Amino acid sequence: MANATLELARQLIARRSVTPQDAGCLDLLGARLEPLGFRLERIGANGVENLWARRGCEAPLVCFAGHTDVVPTGPLDHWACDPFTPEVRDGVLYGRGAADMKTSLAAFVTAIEAFVAAHPRHPGSIAVLFTSDEEGIAVDGTVRVVEALRDRGEKMDYCVVGEPTCVSRLGDTIKNGRRGSLSGNLVVKGVQGHVAYPQLARNPVHEFAAALAELAQTKWDEGNEYFPPTTWQVSNINAGTGAGNVIPGELHVKFNFRFSTASTLESLETRVVGILDRHCLKYELDWRYDGRPFLTKPGDLVDAVGRAIESVTGVETRLSTTGGTSDGRFIADICPQVIEFGPPNASIHKVNECINLRDLEQLPKIYQQILVNLLVK
């Protein structure tokens, strides 16, 4: 299985699937799954390719989810090898997607192949949900598949997302949830004028200063046993014409919440508006949210993954909800138990992205044991 996983990973890395391009990855993966009895279904939108494939009709349904798209490479001359020509050096596989997350996809497939060979009449069902729109704006990928499945009443019982979650060694971290992300685009209105005649103008920078201080100092919630407290951060702020003698007419502010299950979208929006209004500002505010937080408490799936990790690696894993967003936020709408587990994440999105071959050998064994723990028991 180790050689098969390495070879499939190399084939996937060699495809230049910079988001939202798939570059034939789904064809390659589907060709491996169809002979195992999977029914393949393409659910595409606006040029984005998605694959939903299922084997079996009975519950429980165990799904493996991931993405074929990768982030851009950055300067090619900073790479030790062509990022789309996978190369093994000193026991390490290099290439764009080596950690995030083409090796997880390869490990999913070879784990399923091994499991089906050992348990051809296994109880329950197995599915995969693969997309080419996770690293980009993520509006035509997993969310489209989830919508299609929800519309026809098809639900999952367990889902493992192959995001790179580990910190120091394979198996040390499972993500059992993620914080939500809520962004605001604020325009504070003033009156442009000459700096020598401030009485004829109204400076939005000055007027916003007290509100900014209050927003930055506000404690939005206390967090809970799984999540740290919600945070609010300004990501960009600008005003002015570029001239040194002009009072600006508008101030533009971009900010973001990373919020826990201790807050809601509605509560955060209401509190922000309350602060702005209390400071008597004239403003326009547009909201964009990238996903609500999701959480899988310890239970069948967390237990199955933890036992699989320990049986293969000897590592006692820990739960974490840190990091950015993932497609788990969409899947949680139709699946009560969603976790993320994949290889170490130290090199993701970096030049010379890589994975240790020892990790690549153990990863499919863990995924296979998860299936055993959930379906065979």
Side-chain angles (χ1 to χ4, degrees):
M1 188 161 54
N3 290 337
T5 307
L6 173 59
E7 179 55 32
L8 181 54
R10 293 177 69 129
Q11 293 176 33
L12 290 169
I13 292 170
R15 285 161 169 76
R16 298 175 180 266
S17 56
V18 176
T19 190
Q21 301 301 314
D22 168 68
C25 291
L26 293 180
D27 291 335
L28 177 62
L29 295 165
R32 296 286 287 265
L33 294 169
E34 193 168 25
L36 302 177
F38 279 80
R39 302 183 306 277
L40 308 186
E41 181 180 358
R42 289 296 185 95
I43 302 174
N46 299 316
V48 171
E49 295 290 332
N50 305 299
L51 173 65
W52 170 253
R54 177 168 178 164
R55 184 183 198 271
C57 300
E58 304 299 322
L61 172 58
V62 181
C63 178
F64 291 118
H67 58 89
T68 62
D69 58 321
V70 297
V71 296
T73 62
L76 293 177
D77 59 351
H78 290 187
W79 285 74
C81 63
D82 184 313
F84 296 106
T85 303
E87 183 176 310
V88 175
R89 298 194 310 275
D90 301 321
V92 177
L93 172 63
Y94 291 87
R96 177 56 87 218
D100 187 13
M101 56 178 288
K102 290 184 174 181
T103 49
S104 291
L105 301 181
F108 283 157
V109 170
T110 57
I112 292 170
E113 289 173 337
F115 176 80
V116 170
H119 307 280
R121 300 181 182 275
H122 63 82
S125 304
I126 306 171
V128 301
L129 194 173
F130 297 154
T131 179
S132 66
D133 184 29
E134 195 275 344
E135 296 290 8
I137 57 176
V139 296
D140 292 310
T142 297
V143 66
R144 296 287 190 179
V145 180
V146 167
E147 289 171 352
L149 296 177
R150 184 172 52 228
D151 288 347
R152 66 193 189 205
E154 192 169 0
K155 297 182 178 180
M156 312 172 196
D157 295 284
Y158 311 107
C159 184
V160 177
V161 184
E163 290 290 345
T165 59
C166 299
V167 179
S168 300
R169 59 177 299 188
L170 182 68
D172 64 11
T173 306
I174 295 172
K175 302 280 189 181
N176 67 318
R178 295 275 191 163
R179 295 175 296 173
S181 177
L182 172 65
S183 297
N185 189 2
L186 172 67
V187 180
V188 181
K189 301 290 187 175
V191 176
Q192 183 174 311
H194 197 293
V195 295
Y197 301 95
Q199 72 277 14
L200 301 178
R202 197 176 73 249
N203 195 319
V205 178
H206 295 182
E207 294 188 349
F208 181 61
L212 173 60
E214 183 174 348
L215 288 164
Q217 294 168 7
T218 295
K219 181 175 289 188
W220 304 97
D221 59 47
E222 300 289 344
N224 54 40
E225 61 180 313
Y226 297 105
F227 289 96
T230 292
T231 61
W232 181 88
Q233 291 290 319
V234 170
S235 56
N236 190 277
I237 185 167
N238 64 84
T241 64
N245 60 350
V246 178
I247 294 172
E250 292 183 344
L251 172 68
H252 295 258
V253 184
K254 294 183 183 295
F255 62 83
N256 178 264
F257 282 103
R258 291 303 164 102
F259 64 102
S260 72
T261 51
S263 289
T264 65
L265 292 170
E266 295 75 17
S267 69
L268 296 174
E269 291 179 4
T270 298
R271 292 181 69 186
V272 169
V273 169
I275 291 171
L276 298 176
D277 289 347
R278 186 160 57 251
H279 289 274
C280 301
L281 298 175
K282 294 185 178 180
Y283 64 90
E284 295 176 356
L285 177 57
D286 294 321
W287 295 100
R288 187 193 78 247
Y289 81 94
D290 299 311
R292 298 175 184 267
F294 74 92
L295 176 68
T296 297
K297 295 183 178 180
D300 293 343
L301 182 57
V302 169
D303 176 69
V305 176
R307 287 190 291 116
I309 290 170
E310 188 166 14
S311 69
V312 174
T313 68
V315 173
E316 185 176 349
T317 195
R318 68 181 183 90
L319 301 179
S320 172
T321 59
T322 60
T325 59
S326 79
D327 277 359
R329 68 193 190 273
F330 305 127
I331 298 169
D333 285 344
I334 60 169
C335 184
Q337 298 187 52
V338 180
I339 66 97
E340 300 170 23
F341 172 70
N345 56 24
S347 69
I348 63 174
H349 292 206
K350 293 184 178 180
V351 167
N352 296 323
E353 183 180 349
C354 62
I355 183 173
N356 189 287
L357 292 188
R358 174 65 172 167
D359 295 339
L360 189 57
E361 177 185 354
Q362 293 184 326
L363 190 58
K365 294 179 182 178
I366 295 171
Y367 290 149
Q368 181 184 0
Q369 190 59 44
I370 292 171
L371 289 171
V372 172
N373 292 347
L374 290 172
L375 297 181
V376 180
K377 302 181 180 179

